[in-house]
Amino acid sequence: PGSGTGRNALRAVAEAAKAGEPVDLVLLDIGLPDLGGLDVAAALSGIRPSPDIIAVTSARDLEVVRTAVARGIVLYLL
C-alpha cells in the first residue's frame, strides 16, 4: 500500500527496518504533498539497510534528474 506522504513513507521504512523486516524497494513520486521526493530519497539513504528507490514522476528537469541520482535513486521513470 502507498504511504501518501513523505513523512508516512519515512516512518514506515524506519519501522520496518527496526522490526527486522526492511523494505527492499520504494516507488517514489518526486511531487509529494508534504516533503519533496528528493528530500525523502536523501532521508531514506540514511536508514539501514537502505531500500532501492525508483522515482516514478513527470518531472523532466535535468537538474532534478541529476539530483535524484546523486541522492540514491537507482531508476528514474518518466
Side-chain angles (χ1 to χ4, degrees):
S3 296
T5 68
R7 285 183 179 86
N8 287 345
L10 292 173
R11 186 178 313 111
V13 172
E15 288 174 359
K18 285 181 186 177
E21 298 178 6
V23 172
D24 295 319
L25 178 65
V26 172
L27 299 178
L28 180 65
D29 188 352
I30 298 298
L32 295 168
D34 61 342
L35 299 172
L38 297 177
D39 295 328
V40 173
L44 287 171
S45 70
I47 296 173
R48 294 290 178 249
S50 60
D52 289 334
I53 305 168
I54 297 175
V56 182
T57 183
S58 62
R60 296 174 176 256
D61 183 301
L62 182 57
E63 189 59 33
V64 172
V65 176
R66 286 182 177 157
T67 302
V69 171
R71 294 193 180 178
I73 293 176
V74 296
L75 187 60
Y76 195 93
L77 299 175
L78 294 173

